[in-house]
Amino acid sequence: MDDKRKETAIVPEAGQKVTFSGNLGYILAVAGSAVGLGNIWRFPYLAAKYGGGIFLLVYLILMLTFGYALMVSETALGRMTGKSPVGAFQSFGNQKWLTFGGWINAIIPMLILPYYCVIGGWVVKYAFEYLRGHADAIAADGYFGAFISDSLGSEICFAVFLIAAFFVIVAGVKNGIEAVSKVIMPLLVILSVITAVYSVTRPGALAGVKYLLVPNFSQFSLMTVVAAMGQLFYSLSLAMGILYTYGSYLKKDSDIEKNTTQVEIFDTAIALLAGLMIIPAVFAFSGGDMSTLKAGPSLMFITLPKVFDSMGFANVIGSVFFVMVLFAALTSAISLFETSVSTVTQELGMKRLPASLLILGTSLLLGTASVLGYGAWDFVRIFGMQVLDFFDFLTNSMMMPISALFTCLLILRVTGRETIAEEVRLSSQFKREKLYYFVIKYLAPAFLIVILLSSIASVLGWIQI
Ligand code: TRP
């Protein structure tokens, strides 16, 4: 592998020993995995659903304390051990809890990939329909609902997206896709800025800007915190082993503290931009109607087409936008896929092709369940949730807190906070060391346990959050 390719690899292929050749390469790679549907699709709908400004405030506070500490820890542990999560945990001993800690990190991407591809399929459908010039039909009321309840149609879109990711993985053209997406991403940012400005300046939209940016404390609930925490994990690709893996490719002189801060800023900026595109539009087009605000996963697919429709040239703008989102989603799906494949090859000793087929197979099965959950299996509720929502809740609100808890335990009981700090200080000033110590020892464990218990209690119907 030559130097040029090293720099563009987002998740290097299993078995290759790679280091990033520069800070920029690393930041782009981590940002590439961080920025995806989580920012553009998931953040706006959660912010709309859980109280707007108050959600944003809780999210920011969590990110600066908790997200920061966890991100630094995972990266430092990865760099220190030079291993992905299972190996990293096991390099400190072979007790059962260490093995479990490594595996729970490694399994999460395998559970996210299927439903990520279902949403990816929705993006495929929208990109395709806009390219065919169907902007009017897409903007019509009820379009999205009709589409997802047609199981066959959405299954095809899901399969197209998943199989595209699969081919990229087995054909080894991943770096090509990633190079393209590096050009596309800045364009996506520019188009998003234009759309956000347009959306914010619609009559009536200002109420939406206020809703998103100004905290209203009466909207606060425990669920605001649970949802913000889940989003933090999801959006920064935390608590699922990704940063261990990236950290293991990182050179000793690369500034962990600075890189972390930059990725956090970038990721949040994109999420905010998407929020400004979508939430004010809900107010402009439906007067901030509560049922639209609480639409959940479908929000982006319902409001944006209406914005585009009123902008004029809807087919052009819609095509450009959804094709770009498709790329952002595809690069994230590819790295979810790659991470899953490398866990299977490294830990189960399988060859690359069978491992890829195995992940493809499980993803097809689990993803199909999510697709059917909106269509033929519409009546199915798992703990009161639709199938896709259930997978999302299971990974983000239950498994990720557990996996983050294991990272904290590893640090508190085995390595010691000082060892992590030393690793960070090799290349950074570590200005927020005191904050780091406090968060890892007190705030994070206490908080994670509260989150976990309240998620469990809500699933069992004991509390309404
Ligand atoms: N962070 C990505 C997003 O915002 C989603 C994601 C979660 C992801 N975990 C990942 C992407 C692992 C790549 C690898 O859309």
Side-chain angles (χ1 to χ4, degrees):
M1 202 160 155
D2 59 44
D3 274 0
K4 187 87 200 76
R5 282 189 61 198
K6 276 182 201 167
E7 223 178 317
T8 51
I10 284 190
V11 175
E13 276 152 31
Q16 291 173 343
K17 186 66 201 158
V18 181
T19 49
F20 289 101
S21 35
N23 263 341
L24 188 65
Y26 177 77
I27 293 171
L28 285 177
V30 179
S33 107
V35 175
L37 292 172
N39 309 62
I40 303 164
W41 154 76
R42 202 172 186 276
F43 177 86
Y45 96 65
L46 288 175
K49 188 166 173 185
Y50 295 111
I54 190 72
F55 177 86
L56 182 63
L57 182 69
V58 172
Y59 182 79
L60 290 177
I61 294 174
L62 285 178
M63 185 177 64
L64 292 173
T65 52
F66 184 80
Y68 170 78
L70 200 62
M71 217 169 156
V72 165
S73 305
E74 293 192 9
T75 316
L77 279 165
R79 189 170 76 175
M80 213 159 88
T81 58
K83 303 245 170 63
S84 311
V86 179
F89 271 80
Q90 285 176 340
S91 62
F92 294 103
N94 52 10
Q95 291 102 305
K96 286 218 175 63
W97 72 272
L98 286 171
T99 308
F100 180 83
W103 272 103
I104 186 153
N105 269 281
I107 283 175
I108 293 172
M110 302 180 195
L111 291 177
I112 293 187
L113 178 66
Y115 82 85
Y116 201 85
C117 290
V118 174
I119 318 288
W122 299 351
V123 178
V124 169
K125 167 79 174 176
Y126 273 53
F128 180 69
E129 293 297 334
Y130 273 112
L131 287 169
R132 291 207 305 169
H134 288 178
D136 287 346
I138 301 175
D141 286 334
Y143 179 84
F144 182 73
F147 162 58
I148 56 170
S149 55
D150 160 24
S151 297
L152 184 62
S154 41
E155 177 73 12
I156 292 173
C157 297
F158 153 65
V160 166
F161 186 86
L162 175 64
I163 291 170
F166 171 76
F167 273 116
V168 172
I169 296 284
V170 292
V173 289
K174 191 159 62 71
N175 294 329
I177 301 277
E178 281 157 9
V180 175
S181 84
K182 262 174 217 164
V183 180
I184 292 227
M185 293 296 262
L187 294 177
L188 178 65
V189 174
I190 296 171
L191 189 69
S192 303
V193 171
I194 297 172
T195 314
V197 169
Y198 179 83
S199 180
V200 165
T201 50
R202 288 313 83 206
L206 229 49
V209 179
K210 218 176 118 203
Y211 181 76
L212 176 63
L213 299 181
V214 183
N216 173 354
F217 290 89
S218 69
Q219 299 258 13
F220 182 84
S221 74
L222 194 54
M223 198 56 198
T224 316
V225 187
V226 176
M229 186 78 159
Q231 175 61 11
L232 186 76
F233 288 136
Y234 192 93
S235 191
L236 291 172
S237 320
L238 280 176
M240 57 185 96
I242 301 287
L243 293 174
Y244 282 88
T245 312
Y246 285 144
S248 73
Y249 307 135
L250 199 58
K251 286 193 176 152
K252 288 287 184 197
D253 59 359
S254 174
D255 190 332
I256 293 186
E257 183 171 44
K258 196 162 128 222
N259 291 346
T260 300
T261 311
Q262 283 174 352
V263 170
E264 282 188 327
I265 293 174
F266 188 62
D267 191 69
T268 310
I270 307 274
L272 260 181
L273 205 55
L276 284 173
M277 249 176 356
I278 293 171
I279 295 176
V282 175
F283 283 78
F285 292 96
S286 67
D289 168 36
M290 262 304 153
S291 65
T292 314
L293 275 178
K294 297 205 183 291
S298 56
L299 187 65
M300 167 174 116
F301 297 92
I302 294 173
T303 51
L304 270 186
K306 294 196 194 299
V307 180
F308 293 155
D309 205 39
S310 79
M311 282 168 91
F313 307 108
N315 281 309
V316 180
I317 298 178
S319 306
V320 175
F321 180 82
F322 279 100
V323 168
M324 287 180 175
V325 173
L326 193 57
F327 266 89
L330 197 60
T331 50
S332 287
I334 291 165
S335 54
L336 282 164
F337 208 130
E338 183 62 49
T339 315
S340 310
V341 170
S342 57
T343 304
V344 175
T345 50
Q346 282 170 23
E347 307 305 331
L348 303 182
M350 277 171 85
K351 288 241 164 32
R352 196 171 159 77
L353 185 62
S356 311
L357 284 168
L358 179 70
I359 298 295
L360 177 69
T362 54
S363 301
L364 269 175
L365 273 179
L366 295 178
T368 302
S370 294
V371 167
L372 291 176
Y374 284 111
W377 291 356
D378 202 9
F379 55 89
V380 174
R381 289 285 178 281
I382 311 177
F383 299 115
M385 286 172 268
Q386 243 148 349
V387 185
L388 189 143
D389 284 344
F390 170 73
F391 278 114
D392 195 70
F393 186 84
L394 175 72
T395 48
N396 291 276
S397 304
M398 315 252 317
M399 293 176 74
M400 294 192 203
I402 298 177
S403 105
L405 210 50
F406 272 91
T407 295
C408 291
L409 276 180
L410 177 64
I411 295 170
L412 294 175
R413 294 191 32 190
V414 183
T415 68
R417 289 173 295 173
E418 187 51 40
T419 316
I420 306 291
E422 266 165 34
E423 179 69 32
V424 178
R425 266 194 258 106
L426 285 181
S427 55
S428 316
Q429 281 185 315
F430 210 5
K431 288 183 225 132
R432 288 188 260 172
E433 189 170 335
K434 291 237 161 55
L435 173 77
Y436 175 79
Y437 275 18
F438 175 75
V439 172
I440 287 292
K441 177 140 190 203
Y442 301 103
L443 193 68
F447 196 66
L448 286 167
I449 289 170
V450 172
I451 294 287
L452 191 61
L453 292 180
S454 43
S455 297
I456 294 173
S458 88
V459 153
L460 297 176
W462 294 345
I463 56 169
Q464 194 72 43
I465 54 175

